[in-house]
Amino acid sequence: AQSVTQLGSHVSVSEGALVLLRCNYSSSVPPYLFWYVQYPNQGLQLLLKYTSAATLVKGINGFEAEFKKSETSFHLTKPSAHMSDAAEYFCAVSFGNEKLTFGTGTRLTIIP
Amino acid sequence: AAGVIQSPRHLIKEKRETATLKCYPIPRHDTVYWYQQGPGQDPQFLISFYEKMQSDKGSIPDRFSAQQFSDYHSELNMSSLELGDSALYFCASRSRDRTGYTFGSGTRLTVV
C-alpha cells in the first residue's frame, strides 16, 4: 500500500529563513504527490501537486517542491518564511484512481 | 470557480443520536471521498464513490453509511453517535483527469 512519511511533526523557523518540510513516499508505481496546508479550524488547501510532469513544482504562496525519484522524496520549500505561513502541512499520495493517503502532518511555527 | 460545498459547517449532537452530513462536489467531478480528521490527527479515509457507486472503503465504522445521489451530491449518515466521533469531516471531489482533489471546508461534528 502507498504511504508517505513526514519527518518532523513540528518545525520552527525564523521569519525570513528557509522553510524545509520533508516528505518521503513509498511506492512501487509512479505516484501523484500533493502538499496541503491547513490553518487552525479550517479546511485543507492545496499548495501544489506533482502528477508526473515537471519534477520541480511551483505552488501558491511562494512554495515549491521537487520530486526526486532516486530519493523517493517530495520535500516542500520556501525561500523566506512569513508569519502567515504558520499552519499545519500535510503531504499526501495517491496512485491511479485511488484515494489520497495523508502523512501525519508537520506543524510549522514561525519565530518573529 | 465552484468549490466543494459541505453542510452543515458545524453540528452538535448528543450521544446515540444520528447525524447526516452533506457534500456537493464540483460540477463534472465524478468521484467523491469522505475523510475524518480527529483533533491533532491527519485525515483518515472513510469511503469513496465513483459515478454514484461505492468505489473504496476505509476505516468507516459500521454505524456509518454513505451514498451518492443522481445529482452527484453525497451524504454521510452517522448513527448511534459516540464521543469519539467528534471530528472534522471532509468531503473531497476529484476531477475526471484524475489529478485534482478539491476539499470542502469540512463539517465539525461535536458529540456531547
Side-chain angles (χ1 to χ4, degrees):
Chain A
Q2 70 274 21
S3 66
V4 289
T5 301
Q6 292 184 240
L7 299 176
S9 58
H10 292 83
V11 170
S12 296
V13 301
S14 298
E15 190 176 14
L18 172 72
V19 175
L20 171 61
L21 304 183
R22 299 177 187 274
C23 174
N24 289 88
Y25 68 92
S26 67
S27 166
S28 57
V29 297
Y32 290 167
L33 291 159
F34 305 79
W35 276 100
Y36 285 87
V37 61
Q38 186 176 34
Y39 297 98
N41 298 313
Q42 296 201 18
L44 294 160
Q45 181 181 11
L46 179 67
L47 280 176
L48 48 81
K49 61 184 178 184
Y50 167 76
T51 56
S52 73
T55 56
L56 181 62
V57 181
K58 294 187 182 299
I60 63 172
N61 301 341
F63 285 93
E64 64 181 38
E66 186 172 7
F67 174 73
K68 291 187 177 180
K69 185 177 179 180
S70 61
E71 299 177 8
T72 62
S73 68
F74 190 58
H75 302 331
L76 182 71
T77 60
K78 181 174 180 177
S80 177
H82 294 172
M83 295 301 296
S84 59
D85 295 327
E88 187 88 18
Y89 291 80
F90 291 97
C91 181
V93 64
S94 76
F95 298 91
N97 293 327
E98 294 185 19
K99 60 190 178 293
L100 271 177
T101 299
F102 288 87
T104 51
T106 298
R107 182 171 299 278
L108 177 64
T109 300
I110 310 298
I111 303 167
Chain B
V4 176
I5 307 298
Q6 289 189 247
S7 67
R9 288 296 305 275
H10 302 273
L11 191 57
I12 299 175
K13 290 286 186 178
E14 296 188 354
K15 284 192 304 183
R16 293 179 288 278
E17 283 192 318
T18 61
T20 297
L21 278 54
K22 297 185 178 182
C23 170
Y24 296 85
I26 292 175
R28 294 180 295 281
H29 279 200
D30 58 7
T31 308
V32 168
Y33 303 83
W34 285 97
Y35 286 83
Q36 177 192 57
Q37 186 180 28
Q41 304 294 314
D42 55 290
Q44 294 293 314
F45 171 71
L46 292 177
I47 196 167
S48 63
F49 293 88
Y50 169 70
E51 288 291 347
K52 293 159 281 184
M53 299 289 290
Q54 182 181 311
S55 54
D56 195 4
K57 196 172 182 179
S59 51
I60 183 170
D62 291 340
R63 299 177 289 108
F64 294 7
S65 65
Q67 57 182 323
Q68 187 176 31
F69 294 85
S70 58
D71 64 352
Y72 289 90
H73 94 272
S74 179
E75 295 185 2
L76 178 65
N77 299 292
M78 310 159 71
S79 63
S80 302
L81 287 169
E82 301 174 356
L83 295 178
D85 296 328
S86 296
L88 196 53
Y89 290 83
F90 288 109
C91 169
S93 70
R94 189 174 189 184
S95 57
R96 292 179 186 273
D97 65 5
R98 323 317 284 165
T99 62
Y101 297 83
T102 304
F103 282 82
S105 298
T107 293
R108 182 169 295 282
L109 173 66
T110 303
V111 182
V112 297

